[in-house]
Amino acid sequence: MQTTYTPTQEDTVVATSFGSAFAKVMAMATFTDGAFDEPVLGPVEPLQLSPAAHVLHYGSACFEGMKAHKGADGTVRIFRLDAHVARMQRSCRALYLPVPDADVLSGMITDVVRANLEEVPDPPGALYLRPAMIGTEPNIGAAARASNQGMLYVLASPVGDYFDSSKTLVLGVETDLPRTTPQFGEVKTGANYAMALGVTRRYAAEHGTDQVLFAPNGEVQETGAANFMMIDDRTIITRALDSSFLHGITRDSVLALAKEHGFDVEERTITVEEMTSRIDTAECALSGTAAVLAPVGALVVDGERLTVRDGQPGPRTTELRTALTAIQRAEATDTFGWTTPVTA
């Protein structure tokens, strides 16, 4: 990869609110004439786009989100790099965007981490990584076809916890609207988050909720930013994978760890009726790259606030969260091969 920029000590940033501060080096590659050019490292700066760019008019954009963690041994490791790269390739295909080669995208992400090693926070912080692919063809008449030009780039952001794990979340339960359209449930694209925004703001204003759990027709899907799980004794229950929701990589990791810790795993339909009938004993949690495994303390269903267990973080959620972060931070052996070390 070509390097056009070297950060100075003065460039180092400090994590503030999640995703609002950025490390100074990003990676960029453009797609023209049927191929990507060589990726380049450079400073984080505004993109140059035509006002007629395909992405601005027809939503041709997708992204990923993953983290690099500083380990107990001082080494920085990217968590589940291969899985995130594969999911981004699937998102690109679904949106008819140019699909980057896995090795190229992995290399760009790794090089961005390497260039920003000094900005990786100590635990519980991490370096959040945001690869994005956008269509850039300057043609407002291209609504019925894919963009033949594109831009692939990778941002890095030093972050702390998205949710305070010592506190519990309040979820509003929405039983009419879905989180996204059926054909894009599995795709990590901005339109999905825009669809969830209005409902999330309304529930927050009316009920003081942190997130909205979408459950159209009474079947639990996910929140606007994370997958949903219930843990009852030594059984973990979550919706079976289908096209209606994002196939979370943290979800997959938690389920694998749950089996290793002796939990039974049930991937199946969860109804709102079942969920509310079990909250006297069952823990509820949200899983995601940003959320990690965040405990839920209350649900708002049809305007009524229902406490989950005693409203406090549950021991099983804490157990699995601790097991996950221990691997990410090299405090436990990575028997799954999930982490990719990055050295200077």
Side-chain angles (χ1 to χ4, degrees), residues 326-344:
I327 291 176
Q328 293 171 336
R329 301 168 187 170
E331 297 165 351
T333 302
D334 176 17
T335 59
F336 298 95
W338 283 341
T339 58
T340 303
V342 181
T343 56

Side-chain angles (χ1 to χ4, degrees), residues 98-339:
V99 181
D101 181 81
D103 290 339
V104 171
L105 181 52
S106 296
M108 290 175 68
I109 295 166
T110 302
D111 285 344
V112 166
V113 174
R114 183 175 291 112
N116 294 297
L117 281 174
E118 296 302 315
E119 301 194 52
V120 181
D122 292 330
L127 190 67
Y128 184 81
L129 302 162
R130 173 55 63 88
M133 181 72 213
I134 61 175
T136 57
E137 180 185 355
N139 183 353
I140 60 174
R145 64 178 179 84
S147 175
N148 60 20
Q149 297 176 29
M151 183 183 295
L152 173 67
Y153 59 93
V154 182
L155 282 171
S157 176
V159 298
D161 275 341
Y162 191 72
F163 297 124
D164 184 348
S165 62
S166 67
K167 300 179 181 178
T168 56
L169 302 174
V170 180
L171 304 185
V173 180
E174 169 60 43
T175 56
D176 292 325
L177 298 174
R179 179 188 174 235
T180 181
T181 57
Q183 63 265 45
F184 289 133
E186 298 177 54
V187 181
K188 204 161 178 66
T189 185
N192 290 349
Y193 297 83
M195 283 187 65
L197 181 59
V199 182
T200 302
R201 287 172 59 88
R202 175 167 58 84
Y203 270 85
E206 295 177 0
H207 303 289
T209 55
D210 299 296
Q211 292 279 307
V212 168
L213 180 62
F214 290 88
N217 301 315
E219 291 188 2
V220 172
Q221 291 180 337
E222 61 180 341
T223 70
N227 295 139
F228 176 81
M229 299 178 174
M230 293 189 70
I231 309 171
D232 200 348
D233 193 22
R234 302 302 290 185
T235 300
I236 188 165
I237 310 165
T238 191
R239 186 179 180 92
L241 294 178
D242 60 37
S243 62
S244 70
F245 71 105
L246 191 69
H247 298 179
I249 292 163
T250 303
R251 170 193 179 279
D252 178 73
S253 305
V254 170
L255 296 186
L257 285 168
K259 293 175 183 177
E260 190 177 69
H261 280 238
F263 287 82
D264 293 324
V265 173
E266 297 181 7
E267 296 182 74
R268 60 173 175 82
T269 298
I270 306 172
T271 65
V272 173
E273 182 180 9
E274 178 188 4
M275 176 178 66
T276 55
S277 71
R278 300 179 71 157
I279 58 173
D280 286 344
T281 58
E283 301 170 34
C284 297
L286 300 183
S287 68
T289 295
V292 190
L293 191 62
V296 174
L299 305 170
V300 176
V301 182
D302 295 330
E304 181 183 1
R305 186 175 177 126
L306 307 174
T307 301
V308 178
R309 300 178 71 252
D310 59 358
Q312 300 302 308
R316 307 308 186 195
T317 301
T318 302
E319 174 187 350
L320 291 171
R321 179 188 172 97
T322 300
L324 178 63
T325 57
I327 291 176
Q328 293 171 336
R329 301 168 187 170
E331 297 165 351
T333 302
D334 176 17
T335 59
F336 298 95
W338 283 341
T339 58

Side-chain angles (χ1 to χ4, degrees), residues 62-64 66 80-94 99-103 105-106 109 131 186-188 247 249:
C62 65
F63 62 92
E64 264 302 321
M66 68 200 80
R80 302 297 304 267
L81 173 61
D82 293 346
H84 283 285
V85 166
R87 189 171 67 179
M88 184 161 178
Q89 289 180 310
R90 293 194 297 272
S91 292
C92 287
R93 292 189 189 99
V99 181
D101 181 81
D103 290 339
L105 181 52
S106 296
I109 295 166
E186 298 177 54
V187 181
K188 204 161 178 66
H247 298 179
I249 292 163

